[in-house]
Amino acid sequence: IWDHVTKYFKEELPKTSFDTWIKDLEPVAFENDTLYLQAISALHKDHIEKHYSIQIRQVLFEYLNHDVNLIVSLKTEATPSSNHIQVNTSDNNENNGSYLLNPKYTFDNFVVGEGNKMAHAAALAVAEGPGRDYNPLFFFGGVGLGKTHLMQAIGHEVLRTNPNAKIKYVSSETFTNDFINAIRKNTTDAFHKEYRSVDMLLVDDIQFIGNKQSTQEEFFHTFNELYNNNKHIVLTSDRDASQIPELEDRLVSRFKQGLSTDITPPDLETRIAILRNKANVNGLQIPDDTLSYIAGQIDSNVRELEGALTSVQAFAVMNQEDLTPNTAAKALRNYKRNVKSNSPSIPNILDTVAQYFNLQVSDLKGKKRVRQIVVPRQIAMYLSRELTDASLPKIGQEFGGKDHTTVLHAYEKIKKDIEEKSEVERDVDSIRRLLEK
Ligand code: ADP
Ligand code: MG
């Protein structure tokens, strides 16, 4: 009978709603006219009980000709741990602080995976019924994981269903600047009106009000005014509210009184799906093995993933090559070099390479000519050339006083091996990844 229910919802609901709420719902038993369902999280359980149980019962009633009870329980399974990544690039000029929403940041363009499932579900719940549950909604997580995207998707969705809704999207810096300007120009009344008359306030990167006392004070009042009028507030931050330095306790508790949910980096499958989606959106034809290759190379965040895709595409066009994994590999070598902000040191590389091949650093610096040592030594030299700014003589020096021509020779040899021998390419890539950690 559950199939009948899902079929009904599949036809009746928008795809995102169906995928979020119904698809993962599991029927566990049907006894004494009671249907037992398991939801994947408390949020799902809550939302289904509140907003879908009537419909489910209605469908069953029509199907079975009698009323059915519904019991939704929680599927007990370990929740994925939240391992935050720390990348120190800031969101610059995103939307330029204006409250226009980026038209690309919709639910349709958002790929749901393990790391953002809860955040997505919460976002959709709020978009479906703003002012109802989960106020404020607070997303936190590392850079480039889709916080801004989800937040704006809520805005788009609310506007789609209610074009007259007044939605304001700002970064917390814009809020701060507007406030400071209002004081300077003596226009605080207009400022209050602007911020306190909206139906929904989306404040991105709220962590930046942390050390700004009067802005916090102002935001506290804005928040309360909106909250008390059942206006929804959505916030994002790079960390949990209680971790924001110098954020007043009363704000921390306000931020936590709704729903706080984190976003963690996407797994490989999700990264591939995101790339495929992105390629589609941009009208690009990219073979699956190339997409998988890129997704395997970039595992930090979605913004970098998108950047990698763009640079692979540009590389292929400029060099008139097909979009093969091999072309992607070449393009990504450049890309990663540019992206890397804190490149490893040569001692770093020596350590990592030695560990990877189960050797001693002294082996790499030494003069033994056995193959098990020579190749790792050459790889270490190659990586030193690729990943640091050190000159050839300097690298030679770090390798126990070798001639710069030895380094150059090693570099050329490994470069060629990478093209021709997949084991070398694999080793070099694995070591690179270790170095990035
Ligand atoms: P954050 O605000 O967390 O730093 P953004 O929302 O700006 O990250 O996301 C960075 C980029 O990655 C955006 O272009 C966004 O569209 C994209 N992105 C992030 N997560 C996803 C996802 N799950 N599906 C599709 N695109 C995503
Ligand atoms: Mg952002």
Side-chain angles (χ1 to χ4, degrees):
I1 58 166
W2 183 243
D3 283 343
H4 181 77
V5 176
T6 48
K7 189 162 163 282
Y8 166 85
F9 280 107
K10 204 168 189 154
E11 282 163 15
E12 289 301 308
L13 290 177
K15 186 167 180 323
T16 31
S17 302
F18 175 81
D19 285 349
T20 305
W21 306 119
I22 309 294
K23 208 180 74 190
D24 289 335
L25 210 51
E26 210 178 289
V28 280
F30 185 55
E31 275 171 22
N32 299 326
D33 288 339
T34 305
L35 177 63
Y36 295 82
L37 297 171
Q38 277 191 343
I40 57 169
S41 79
L43 169 74
H44 286 81
K45 171 170 155 15
D46 194 331
H47 194 75
I48 288 151
E49 285 173 344
K50 277 201 189 131
H51 307 298
Y52 287 110
S53 63
I54 301 285
Q55 272 183 82
I56 293 175
R57 285 170 64 181
Q58 181 64 31
V59 176
L60 289 173
F61 181 79
E62 279 167 16
Y63 189 57
L64 303 169
N65 279 323
H66 63 82
D67 201 357
V68 169
N69 283 318
L70 205 64
I71 295 184
V72 186
S73 61
L74 206 57
K75 194 185 228 158
T76 42
E77 78 180 15
T79 44
S81 68
S82 37
N83 39 0
H84 297 277
I85 54 153
Q86 292 289 330
V87 185
N88 288 326
T89 54
S90 64
D91 265 10
N92 41 24
N93 74 15
E94 202 161 78
N95 285 298
N96 282 329
S98 88
Y99 35 93
L100 294 171
L101 305 174
N102 182 332
K104 285 193 317 189
Y105 290 173
T106 60
F107 281 116
D108 282 347
N109 284 342
F110 192 81
V111 176
V112 183
E114 219 32 71
N116 61 30
K117 210 170 181 169
M118 294 302 299
H120 172 263
L124 197 62
V126 168
E128 285 174 354
R132 213 163 50 184
D133 305 322
Y134 321 125
N135 197 13
L137 178 57
F138 188 96
F139 297 130
F140 64 98
V143 166
L145 296 181
K147 301 184 296 296
T148 298
H149 187 139
L150 264 187
M151 168 181 253
Q152 296 201 7
I154 298 174
H156 281 301
E157 185 60 20
V158 170
L159 282 174
R160 199 178 61 82
T161 46
N162 176 11
N164 295 324
K166 192 164 176 225
I167 294 179
K168 192 165 176 68
Y169 167 84
V170 285
S171 67
S172 70
E173 287 120 314
T174 303
F175 180 87
T176 305
N177 291 339
D178 285 359
F179 174 57
I180 292 169
N181 283 334
I183 293 177
R184 220 183 39 215
K185 295 185 194 148
N186 232 329
T187 53
T188 45
D189 282 350
F191 173 85
H192 289 159
K193 190 151 177 284
E194 176 71 24
Y195 277 91
R196 298 180 188 185
S197 67
V198 298
D199 297 313
M200 180 179 262
L201 180 62
L202 312 172
V203 184
D204 214 349
D205 292 316
I206 193 73
Q207 73 269 13
F208 293 124
I209 67 167
N211 53 6
K212 305 189 179 82
Q213 254 189 26
S214 52
T215 306
Q216 289 194 45
E217 168 92 29
E218 181 61 32
F219 190 71
F220 180 72
H221 296 302
T222 307
F223 184 102
N224 289 341
E225 177 84 14
L226 291 172
Y227 184 84
N228 292 334
N229 287 306
N230 265 333
K231 305 301 186 190
H232 223 106
I233 300 145
V234 183
L235 306 167
T236 73
S237 162
D238 65 349
R239 65 200 82 183
D240 183 36
S242 54
Q243 303 297 316
I244 300 175
E246 293 179 61
L247 184 66
E248 291 174 13
D249 288 345
R250 56 180 186 173
L251 278 176
V252 175
S253 65
R254 287 292 183 292
F255 291 176
K256 283 176 167 281
Q257 78 193 12
L259 181 79
S260 192
T261 174
D262 67 340
I263 304 187
T264 56
D267 55 24
L268 179 66
E269 246 177 78
T270 311
R271 296 200 299 277
I272 295 173
I274 289 172
L275 285 175
R276 191 170 293 134
N277 174 66
K278 175 88 179 166
N280 280 341
V281 169
N282 293 347
L284 302 174
Q285 292 284 340
I286 301 181
D288 275 356
D289 54 352
T290 305
L291 293 181
S292 303
Y293 178 82
I294 301 172
Q297 290 295 306
I298 310 282
D299 58 7
S300 41
N301 72 57
V302 181
R303 181 167 302 134
E304 268 191 34
L305 198 60
E306 292 186 336
L309 183 69
T310 309
S311 80
V312 167
Q313 222 257 328
F315 183 91
V317 170
M318 285 189 309
N319 296 288
Q320 306 198 338
E321 293 187 22
D322 290 336
L323 280 161
T324 61
N326 203 12
T327 305
K330 281 187 264 176
L332 288 185
R333 251 166 253 147
N334 293 324
Y335 175 71
K336 284 188 179 173
R337 201 166 18 202
N338 292 339
V339 161
K340 278 213 75 54
S341 43
N342 48 346
S343 45
S345 64
I346 294 177
N348 229 221
I349 293 172
L350 283 165
D351 276 345
T352 310
V353 172
Q355 234 175 52
Y356 182 86
F357 289 106
N358 245 322
L359 299 169
Q360 302 295 319
V361 170
S362 57
D363 291 330
L364 299 176
K365 289 186 173 181
K367 291 192 159 63
K368 281 197 206 129
R369 305 268 333 141
V370 291
R371 199 186 137 69
Q372 292 95 306
I373 297 178
V374 171
V375 176
R377 185 185 292 142
Q378 290 175 330
I379 288 179
M381 288 180 175
Y382 170 85
L383 287 169
S384 301
R385 176 97 203 271
E386 280 276 289
L387 303 177
T388 73
D389 293 325
S391 63
L392 293 172
K394 164 85 176 133
I395 296 173
Q397 209 176 28
E398 295 268 359
F399 279 73
K402 298 203 169 53
D403 194 49
H404 76 272
T405 52
T406 309
V407 180
L408 186 60
H409 171 254
Y411 176 77
E412 301 287 4
K413 167 144 187 313
I414 296 301
K415 198 171 165 195
K416 197 155 143 271
D417 283 355
I418 288 174
E419 310 268 6
E420 290 166 7
K421 301 187 190 159
S422 60
E423 336 87 11
V424 175
E425 178 178 20
R426 195 195 50 221
D427 288 342
V428 170
D429 275 333
S430 309
I431 296 166
R432 260 181 209 273
R433 230 162 309 155
L434 288 174
L435 283 165
E436 275 160 22
K437 296 242 163 81

